[in-house]
Amino acid sequence: MKGHDTTENKVSIKEQIGYFCGDFGGSLVNLYISAFYLTFCTYVLGISPAWMAALFLFARIWDAINDPMIGSLPDRFKIGNGSDRFKPWVKIFMVPLALSSLLCFSDVSGFPDLLKHIWVAVTYILYGMAYTGVSMPYGAMASVITDDPVERTKLSRARAFGGIGTGILFIPLISLAIWDDAGNPNAGGYFMMAVIAGILSICFYLALIHFSKERIHQNFKYGKKTNTQYRFTHILKEAFTNRALIGIMLASVGSMFASSQSATSSLYKEYYHMPKAMAATSLISLPMMILSFFVVPRLAQKIGNRTLIISSAAYGIVAYTILFLVPIPNAYLFMFVNTVAGVGLTVFTMLVWALVTEAIDYQEFKSGERSDGTIYSVYTFSRKIGSAVTASVATGLIGAAGFVAGAETQAAEFGENIRKLITALPLFGSIIILVSIVFIYPLNKKQSAAMYETLRNKRETERKAS
């Protein structure tokens, strides 16, 4: 194995911006579909929440199955003439991802009922596969950009703010386009925003490819020239003995519940009767985002990622318990209080990717083997399962709360039930995060430092021997 590119030991601001662009580009499509596809299908296409719940469950399970298959591609096959393992795969899948958003938000309400349901199912599954194709190599890339824990925290912060930035700067604006002045759904507005999301997604992925650099290279291990076969089952067995990986997998399932947005649009329409008010979340969330950008990495460096996540999850439990028990009648006051309550989840979102790369290194520390793409795909398997369960449960609960597909107006009690659902899901998710990190994730600040010292000595010995 070749050693590090010692001419550069730190991740530059330009590279952090590039890595930010990768998640921002993917989130433009992913968060748009996650937050509004249910609303589009129920309000515009007239499809029932129960049927959508079944689709979400099936699609996410399929995504979870194909994650390891697609995620292992950079470990199995090297494409392109350079030494990069992951960026060429981003290039392949970024255009299909952009196109999938257009297909998902095409107005097919005039189709026969059976054909309409088939269209919705097929386009949603295609979107999931395209997103897997681009998100797998992008996420695994962090482990080869740098192995310095502090620098990885910067990359994790940059990635987190890609998704957070989309949630603050783009997602709230969608509500201005998808509802008319009378509060009725605007099908053309959904498609227009899909076009914008798709074009911008490609632009930001190109920025990722241009600005990022893969520093840590390995001789390609699998193939005829090396007489070594890729053994997925062996790597998978090792992965499920990795407590760091299992802990962050379970915590990420909790974060899926905590960050579920599928009913948020319904909250502002049915509880507050202000469907366009969601656009104001940008102004309320932006200051908190800026403050977190500077404070969270410093706190993590001082007390360690694990301790900070535990503290933030405990805070989230208290905050969302209060929010669940105390109704807030004003939409804008709710936005503010909800944003403050969400600080705990913001901390986890900013640090989770640093813990994922730490879990990949922990695999090498335990077994002496390294398969970044495959281990990362095993992690994303848990995210897809969590997303499947969350989307299915949340969508099913919307139906149980009293939503009637195709009705011009919903029952009054539906709004109150949605308010409870919106606050109960992040409370439940925060509990899962706390339990997973406290009782399963094994690496505190001191243990992590010792692990990296051992790995650096190992790699230096291998470099001198090569």
Side-chain angles (χ1 to χ4, degrees):
M1 179 178 69
K2 297 179 182 180
H4 304 282
D5 181 350
T6 56
T7 59
E8 297 180 33
N9 295 317
K10 294 186 177 296
V11 179
S12 67
I13 295 297
K14 182 175 69 173
E15 288 180 284
Q16 292 179 52
I17 293 173
Y19 205 67
F20 160 86
C21 288
D23 200 67
F24 195 91
S27 295
L28 284 166
V29 175
N30 182 45
L31 291 186
Y32 180 29
I33 292 177
S34 296
F36 292 99
Y37 194 56
L38 173 64
T39 306
F40 174 77
C41 290
T42 51
Y43 281 91
V44 176
L45 303 184
I47 296 176
S48 72
W51 192 89
M52 292 301 297
L55 171 61
F56 288 154
L57 181 61
F58 173 81
R60 289 300 191 276
I61 290 175
W62 168 242
D63 279 350
I65 293 171
N66 69 52
D67 267 10
M69 293 187 291
I70 295 177
S72 64
L73 290 176
D75 292 332
R76 295 173 183 261
F77 309 106
K78 184 182 180 303
I79 59 176
N81 296 323
S83 58
D84 292 334
R85 292 171 56 201
F86 300 107
K87 288 194 287 185
W89 293 99
V90 173
K91 292 180 183 179
I92 290 177
F93 285 101
M94 65 183 185
V95 173
L97 175 64
L99 292 176
S100 70
S101 66
L102 276 65
L103 296 176
C104 283
F105 289 105
S106 295
D107 183 6
V108 295
S109 55
F111 283 16
D113 195 56
L114 177 61
L115 183 57
K116 180 170 59 178
H117 282 72
I118 292 174
W119 176 276
V120 167
V122 171
T123 55
Y124 186 71
I125 290 171
L126 289 176
Y127 142 72
M129 294 181 68
Y131 183 65
T132 296
V134 76
S135 64
M136 292 290 100
Y138 165 71
M141 192 191 305
S143 64
V144 298
I145 292 177
T146 179
D147 67 351
D148 183 280
V150 175
E151 299 303 304
R152 282 185 171 176
T153 299
K154 295 177 182 178
L155 286 177
S156 182
R157 175 183 65 180
R159 175 170 186 172
F161 274 94
I164 294 172
T166 305
I168 292 177
L169 302 176
F170 180 70
I171 296 300
L173 299 179
I174 294 173
S175 61
L176 299 177
I178 64 174
W179 305 104
D180 62 21
D181 292 337
N184 300 311
N186 175 18
Y190 281 98
F191 187 78
M192 178 187 70
M193 297 308 292
V195 172
I196 294 172
I199 293 173
L200 290 177
S201 176
I202 293 174
C203 293
F204 279 98
Y205 274 126
L206 290 174
L208 162 73
I209 293 168
H210 178 71
F211 290 126
S212 60
K213 180 178 181 180
E214 298 186 22
R215 288 180 174 81
I216 302 173
H217 302 297
Q218 290 175 284
N219 292 326
F220 194 65
K221 298 183 296 183
Y222 308 110
K224 294 180 180 179
K225 292 184 179 180
T226 60
N227 294 318
T228 304
Q229 291 186 342
Y230 175 89
R231 294 184 297 160
F232 174 75
T233 54
H234 169 72
I235 297 172
L236 190 64
K237 181 179 178 181
E238 291 291 328
F240 281 97
T241 62
N242 183 338
R243 282 187 60 195
L245 183 63
I246 293 172
I248 198 63
M249 285 167 65
L250 293 176
S252 294
V253 172
S255 76
M256 295 294 103
F257 279 97
S259 60
S260 176
Q261 300 184 50
S262 59
T264 303
S265 185
S266 295
L267 173 73
Y268 290 104
K269 176 172 172 55
E270 306 298 345
Y271 184 76
Y272 291 110
H273 306 292
M274 299 172 62
K276 293 189 176 184
M278 189 175 171
T281 56
S282 296
L283 299 176
I284 296 174
S285 301
L286 189 59
M288 195 67 68
M289 173 183 173
I290 295 173
L291 179 63
S292 299
F293 181 86
F294 293 102
V295 172
V296 172
R298 294 181 181 180
L299 285 175
Q301 187 174 356
K302 183 176 182 180
I303 66 175
N305 293 335
R306 182 177 182 273
T307 300
L308 183 54
I309 288 177
I310 290 172
S311 301
S312 64
Y315 164 83
I317 292 172
V318 174
Y320 280 111
T321 298
I322 295 173
L323 202 55
F324 178 83
L325 296 174
V326 183
I328 299 177
N330 183 275
Y332 298 107
L333 180 59
F334 172 82
M335 287 182 197
F336 174 78
V337 177
N338 189 51
T339 299
V340 174
V343 169
L345 179 61
T346 299
V347 171
F348 180 83
T349 303
M350 290 183 64
L351 297 178
V352 60
W353 303 111
L355 266 63
V356 171
T357 51
E358 189 172 69
I360 292 174
D361 291 329
Y362 188 64
Q363 185 73 20
E364 181 184 2
F365 176 73
K366 285 175 67 274
S367 67
E369 301 175 350
R370 189 175 187 93
S371 297
D372 309 67
T374 306
I375 298 299
Y376 181 80
S377 69
V378 171
Y379 163 72
T380 60
F381 172 89
S382 69
R383 289 181 65 88
K384 294 294 176 65
I385 291 296
S387 181
V389 174
T390 302
S392 183
V393 169
T395 305
L397 288 175
I398 290 173
F403 181 87
V404 179
E408 293 186 4
T409 58
Q410 303 295 326
E413 60 268 20
F414 175 66
E416 171 60 18
N417 291 337
I418 284 296
R419 184 200 69 80
K420 292 179 179 177
L421 178 62
I422 287 291
T423 53
L425 285 175
L427 170 60
F428 179 63
S430 297
I431 293 172
I432 296 177
I433 292 172
L434 182 67
V435 171
S436 301
I437 300 300
V438 168
F439 294 105
I440 302 176
Y441 195 84
L443 297 172
N444 58 29
K445 185 179 180 182
K446 182 178 179 181
Q447 292 167 325
S448 179
M451 177 186 74
Y452 281 112
E453 180 64 23
T454 300
L455 289 177
R456 276 191 289 268
N457 292 336
K458 169 181 173 289
R459 291 167 182 166
E460 181 63 18
T461 300
E462 292 176 344
R463 184 188 68 81
K464 291 178 178 178
S466 63

